[in-house]
Amino acid sequence: MIEKEYPVKIKALTEIQEFINNFCGDNSINTKAATKIAVCTDEVVSNVVYYSGADYLRIQCSFEEKTVSVSFIDNGKPFNPLTDSEAPDIGAGLDERKIGGLGIHIVKEMMDSVEYARNDNKNIFTIKISG
């Protein structure tokens, strides 16, 4: 496992994506999985930056038994995106849709599994995909 901590600022996204890309390259993660991880990372980091009120964001990456696991850990307000946000009505027209929920829906669809935990006043959101 490798990890790195970042300030909770949107400009850190470039560094975070570089960290993720290097991890995927170093572990020979297939391009399809690496691309999905990059898209999901963008969504999760954006949500932390805009909504969490956190001071830091720690990213942990591991690759075991052909599964890539990326955990996003922040000290922001408690929020479980798996249960605390409404599922979007993807069948509704753009003018009829409520704001929010689409990003986490995309993450859930792209990943093999997603998990949320709250430990020691930290949000821990983990995405996993076969690589």
Side-chain angles (χ1 to χ4, degrees):
M1 179 184 63
I2 63 168
E3 69 177 19
K4 192 164 181 185
E5 192 167 295
Y6 297 90
V8 181
K9 298 182 180 187
I10 200 64
K11 65 183 180 179
L13 183 57
T14 302
E15 284 182 57
I16 292 169
Q17 287 290 15
E18 186 176 309
F19 174 71
I20 296 289
N21 289 338
N22 288 340
F23 173 80
C24 288
D26 291 347
N27 288 281
S28 301
I29 306 304
N30 69 64
T31 303
K32 186 175 180 180
T35 300
K36 288 181 177 185
I37 293 166
V39 169
C40 293
T41 294
D42 187 83
E43 180 57 37
V44 173
V45 171
S46 295
N47 284 343
V48 171
V49 168
Y50 292 118
Y51 304 114
S52 74
D55 298 319
Y56 68 85
L57 174 61
R58 184 178 315 126
I59 313 287
Q60 294 178 338
C61 301
S62 64
F63 183 53
E64 297 173 6
E65 299 179 20
K66 299 183 182 179
T67 299
V68 180
S69 177
V70 181
S71 293
F72 303 87
I73 303 162
D74 69 73
N75 66 339
K77 60 187 173 192
F79 183 75
N80 180 347
L82 303 177
T83 60
D84 295 346
S85 60
E86 270 187 51
D89 182 358
I90 57 175
L94 289 177
D95 293 338
E96 300 163 350
R97 284 188 198 163
K98 291 182 182 179
I99 294 176
L102 188 57
I104 193 62
H105 173 76
I106 291 168
V107 171
K108 288 176 5 182
E109 290 295 312
M110 294 181 101
M111 293 292 107
D112 294 337
S113 72
V114 293
E115 301 168 1
Y116 172 83
R118 179 83 179 170
N119 292 329
D120 297 324
N121 293 319
K122 295 175 186 73
N123 295 302
I124 305 166
F125 189 74
T126 303
I127 60 175
K128 295 181 181 181
I129 189 169
S130 294

